[in-house]
């Protein structure tokens, strides 16, 4: 499975790795189905929610790697 980056759009992330939804919900991104969130990058969404985008990307990539095992 490919890794995601800070430039990956939330909509793409959910298509690639739907299991990331609970991770996003846990940090306050409750509007995952909202049209605007589908076009936001992970970095943009993290900034809006006051979260370090790099750490969020790292957490999601770790979850993706764990799911592959």
């Amino acid at each position: 499975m490919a890794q995601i980056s800070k430039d990956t759009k939330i909509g793409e992330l959910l298509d690639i790795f739907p299991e990331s939804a609970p991770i996003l919900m846990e940090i306050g991104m409750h509007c995952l189905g909202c049209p605007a969130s589908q076009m936001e990058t992970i970095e943009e969404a993290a900034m809006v929610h006051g979260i370090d985008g790099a750490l969020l990307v790292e957490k999601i990539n770790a979850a993706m790697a764990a799911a592959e095992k």
Side-chain angles (χ1 to χ4, degrees):
M1 188 174 283
Q3 288 197 333
I4 56 103
S5 74
K6 64 181 182 158
D7 298 318
T8 303
K9 294 194 179 356
I10 298 294
E12 293 172 332
L13 169 61
L14 293 172
D15 287 342
I16 294 167
F17 187 57
E19 297 88 342
S20 65
I23 296 169
L24 299 174
M25 298 284 282
E26 177 182 291
I27 60 170
M29 294 183 189
H30 299 127
C31 177
L32 299 179
C34 153
S37 74
Q38 300 299 303
M39 297 307 296
E40 272 186 327
T41 65
I42 293 173
E43 181 177 50
E44 292 167 339
M47 184 174 51
V48 167
H49 290 276
I51 294 160
D52 183 327
L55 289 176
L56 179 56
V57 167
E58 186 178 315
K59 185 173 185 174
I60 293 169
N61 279 324
M64 289 173 71
E68 287 182 343
K69 293 180 180 179

